[in-house]
Amino acid sequence: MAPDAHPPTSRREVLRQALAAAGLIVGGPFLAGCGSSSRARDVKTVVLPGVELAEPDANGLRLPAGFSSRILARGGAPVDGSANHVWHKDADGGAVFPRPGGGWIYVSNSESDLGAGGVGALVFDDQANVVDAFPILSGTTRNCAGGSTPWGTWLSCEETLYGRVYECDPTGATPAVQRPALGSFRHEAAAVDPATLRIYLTEDQPDGRLYRFTPIGTLPSGAADLTDGLLEAAQVHGTDPTAVRPVSWHAVPQPNPDVAHPMVPTRFQAPLSSAFAGGEGIFHHVGQIYFTTKRDNRVWVHDLAAETVSLLYDGDVSDPVISQVDNVTVATTGIAFVAEDGPNQRIIALTPDGRAGAILEAVGYPGSELTGPAFDPSGTRLYFSSQRGPGAGGQPWGTTYEVTGPFANL
């Protein structure tokens, strides 16, 4: 591996030293015996007992008993309840935000190309009625997934070679802001640790990295100051993927290589960092970061306190209950819900002890993928899209759904 093309800037090095002094950076070699001797849970997966999917309902979804669905929006068509806002095509990652005064907002990325991407918002009242819809970001490209922040914003990630992250206001009251400090690379998704306000990011490359961004500080509002900070890439120690393995972090000296100033791509600037086979969804839940890698069909868990990585699901060695992992969310019950990017068009429930089973399936959408799973504040409504399902006029522009049911009883 060639050495880094540029040394760290003085400001970034000062920040790194300050964070190290505060104990916020883990690095350097690990002691012998701290590697792969500790075994992870058995990752062989069985089907969830008692969860059977019925025949497709009127909206083309197979659901368990006690669950129901409705269509909220179709790509390329005006949203009912809005002032004729046309819902975006190619819906992808999403999240739900409580709405001041009651109700909530579901935001949804658009993975459209050539500047036609962005983010749309569906606004619900406290009775779950759609009462408005509008864009909160436009003019961007291939906004794939992203992540919500504890201070109430949406981080929308561009999946392009020099893609950026945009911080968006779900209410649309303030314009979206580009956040270059989070790096320029083929972003997939983001998750925030509410305890430290660090942001964890996945990269959709066959040899992508798991990144960590430490903000420079906080704003008077309590939000993280994302104008600058330290971007790092993870190194996972040991070679046994079924083991609980320690993690250390290495600084990325130049987070923003671009076509005008070509240099070492972001993922190669930390030579000791570990490659992940196509990073996809990522989500924070109770001190753990769940993330997926599509090319080896795995669901990983990064324990933030222990600084370890382990497998929750391994599609390489277990029965492939999940065919192609993609977006992920985690319910308050600790159950992870993994959307599939593959022929089966399902969302899979994955329990903390490794049991898995489909909780819904979309029928009649060949060549699509399910995207953007997110729960409403009550945990009884799940929002998601079929990215290339029949949209307006039967066009393959996507459909956004709500499924209601006793998810806590799974």
Side-chain angles (χ1 to χ4, degrees):
M1 177 69 67
D4 294 335
H6 299 281
T9 62
S10 58
R11 184 179 183 189
R12 196 168 300 280
E13 182 57 28
V14 168
L15 175 64
R16 175 176 171 79
Q17 291 173 4
L19 293 172
L24 293 177
I25 296 176
V26 178
F30 282 81
L31 295 175
C34 293
S36 61
S37 60
S38 177
R39 302 295 296 180
R41 62 178 65 85
D42 180 4
V43 296
K44 184 170 177 60
T45 308
V46 297
V47 176
L48 284 174
V51 178
E52 296 184 3
L53 302 183
E55 291 301 307
D57 65 10
N59 298 320
L61 299 182
R62 298 184 62 209
L63 302 171
F67 288 73
S68 61
S69 75
R70 63 171 170 159
I71 291 175
L72 300 173
R74 295 186 184 273
V79 177
D80 289 343
S82 74
N84 291 319
H85 172 69
V86 175
W87 195 238
H88 53 269
K89 305 173 185 177
D90 307 313
D92 208 289
V96 170
F97 298 85
R99 183 184 174 208
W104 55 91
I105 300 172
Y106 176 64
V107 301
S108 169
N109 277 357
S110 170
E111 202 181 5
S112 293
D113 234 330
L114 302 174
V119 186
L122 292 174
V123 181
F124 298 82
D125 64 16
D126 57 7
Q127 300 299 310
N129 301 305
V130 176
V131 295
D132 204 357
F134 44 76
I136 61 173
L137 175 66
S138 58
T140 51
T141 297
R142 293 187 62 81
N143 296 76
C144 199
S148 61
T149 71
W151 53 94
T153 60
W154 167 247
L155 301 176
S156 181
C157 298
E158 286 184 310
E159 188 195 341
T160 64
L161 187 59
Y162 299 110
R164 296 290 181 90
V165 175
Y166 293 80
E167 187 172 18
C168 308
D169 176 2
T171 71
T174 58
V177 179
Q178 188 182 107
R179 298 301 188 189
L182 275 66
S184 299
F185 54 88
R186 200 177 297 276
H187 285 276
E188 179 69 29
V192 184
D193 174 13
T196 63
L197 304 188
R198 280 173 163 160
I199 302 172
Y200 294 79
L201 305 129
T202 53
E203 181 178 25
D204 192 355
Q205 294 274 19
D207 54 354
R209 265 53 177 177
L210 175 66
Y211 296 95
R212 181 178 75 177
F213 177 77
T214 303
I216 195 171
T218 57
L219 301 173
S221 64
D225 182 351
L226 303 185
T227 59
D228 201 359
L230 180 67
L231 185 68
E232 300 169 285
Q235 179 185 4
V236 181
H237 297 260
T239 58
D240 182 357
T242 67
V244 177
R245 295 183 287 166
V247 175
S248 58
W249 296 89
H250 303 278
V252 175
Q254 294 289 339
N256 297 119
D258 59 41
V259 68
H261 304 90
M263 58 166 291
V264 179
T266 309
R267 67 189 186 281
F268 298 146
Q269 291 184 36
L272 296 178
S273 63
S274 300
F276 285 92
E280 288 287 341
I282 190 168
F283 196 87
H284 174 273
H285 177 70
V286 192
Q288 295 182 315
I289 296 290
Y290 293 70
F291 65 100
T292 65
T293 50
K294 64 184 178 186
R295 294 177 183 269
D296 52 10
N297 202 31
R298 286 170 167 167
V299 180
W300 304 82
V301 178
H302 172 37
D303 187 300
L304 298 178
E307 283 289 1
T308 58
V309 165
S310 59
L311 280 173
L312 178 60
Y313 173 83
D314 190 345
D316 273 357
V317 301
S318 60
D319 295 334
V321 177
I322 313 174
S323 62
Q324 294 182 35
V325 299
D326 203 305
N327 291 172
V328 62
T329 191
V330 183
T332 56
T333 58
I335 297 177
F337 291 83
V338 182
E340 290 184 321
D341 178 1
N344 293 328
Q345 303 298 301
R346 301 175 303 179
I347 292 180
I348 307 292
L350 182 58
T351 67
D353 61 358
R355 295 176 297 124
I359 54 96
L360 66 86
E361 178 182 5
V363 177
Y365 298 151
S368 184
E369 59 183 281
L370 299 191
T371 60
F375 284 97
D376 80 325
S378 74
T380 62
R381 297 178 178 89
L382 176 66
Y383 299 101
F384 67 96
S385 298
S386 174
Q387 187 178 79
R388 293 177 292 277
Q395 296 296 319
W397 292 338
T399 305
T400 298
Y401 299 90
E402 175 191 83
V403 168
T404 302
F407 290 97
N409 296 337
L410 294 174

